[in-house]
Amino acid sequence: MTMFGEAGTGPRFSGPLLRAVGSFAFVMLCGIVGPIFLVCYFVFDLPETGWMLWTGLGLTVLDVLIGLGVASLTYRGRARAERLRATGVRGVAEVLSVGQTAVQINDEPLMSLRLRIGGPDVVPFEVGTRKVIPHYRQPLLYRRRLASLDELRASGVLTDDEYRRARQRIVDEL
């Protein structure tokens, strides 16, 4: 909905374009030194300020080029991320291992995870990452491991004693 209640009317700007314009504006704001030299050169008009013209022009041109470069990189990155979200392939991450890092961020643990990513038309691969995982969500990391353990027990691969010891190890990790 727009401000006046008409859905779908008015100008539309893509997220990547707005991010790119914002990046360009930020770089231009940070690079205000060149225009200051130019203003000083034209306002004071003294013979010993001649260097300010060329320095101001050089800095301003450099600032504009850097701003355009940053904006271009921002736009391409955001556009690629949006394309991936729209047309990407969904994958599933299986937790292979979970470890503590002894680091707390906002009283929540930073955990080390080893994942296997796979899905339709995706060759499975393994990756390691570190994520802050709230205490109340940590049991979800172990749920699949317990389910796999139950499947092994049901198929007869594990004896009851092996099952109890493996389950206890997993629960102790919690």
Side-chain angles (χ1 to χ4, degrees), residues 37-50:
F37 281 168
L38 291 174
V39 168
C40 289
Y41 173 77
F42 288 112
V43 168
F44 297 121
D45 197 25
L46 298 172
E48 61 269 2
T49 59

Side-chain angles (χ1 to χ4, degrees), residues 112-130:
S112 172
L113 301 172
R114 190 89 189 133
L115 306 171
R116 180 179 296 127
I117 312 291
D121 300 328
V122 175
V123 176
F125 61 95
E126 291 185 13
V127 65
T129 187
R130 295 169 63 176

Side-chain angles (χ1 to χ4, degrees), residues 22-173:
S23 297
F24 181 76
F26 178 74
V27 170
M28 294 306 292
L29 181 65
C30 291
I32 196 80
V33 174
I36 288 174
F37 281 168
L38 291 174
V39 168
C40 289
Y41 173 77
F42 288 112
V43 168
F44 297 121
D45 197 25
L46 298 172
E48 61 269 2
T49 59
W51 64 272
M52 286 186 161
L53 173 66
W54 300 110
T55 304
L57 283 174
L59 288 173
T60 302
V61 167
L62 183 64
D63 186 42
V64 168
L65 292 175
I66 290 171
L68 288 173
V70 168
S72 173
L73 291 173
T74 301
Y75 176 78
R76 280 193 255 147
R78 291 292 175 170
R80 192 179 90 215
E82 277 191 13
R83 246 188 343 270
L84 183 59
R85 266 193 280 291
T87 63
V89 176
R90 287 211 178 264
V92 176
E94 178 186 349
V95 178
L96 299 176
S97 67
V98 179
Q100 296 288 341
T101 61
V103 175
Q104 298 270 325
I105 298 175
N106 294 331
D107 294 327
E108 299 290 351
L110 178 69
M111 301 184 81
S112 172
L113 301 172
R114 190 89 189 133
L115 306 171
R116 180 179 296 127
I117 312 291
D121 300 328
V122 175
V123 176
F125 61 95
E126 291 185 13
V127 65
T129 187
R130 295 169 63 176
K131 294 286 181 190
V132 174
I133 301 176
H135 293 291
Y136 70 91
R137 303 218 32 157
Q138 289 178 15
L140 296 175
L141 294 173
Y142 299 96
R143 185 174 63 189
R144 179 67 190 146
R145 289 176 66 191
L146 289 171
S148 297
L149 200 58
D150 290 337
E151 292 168 8
L152 291 172
R153 180 181 177 203
S155 68
V157 173
L158 291 178
T159 65
D160 288 339
D161 188 43
E162 292 170 327
Y163 170 79
R164 273 193 294 281
R165 281 184 289 170
R167 183 174 175 80
Q168 188 59 44
R169 264 197 326 266
I170 293 171
V171 170
D172 288 343
E173 290 178 13

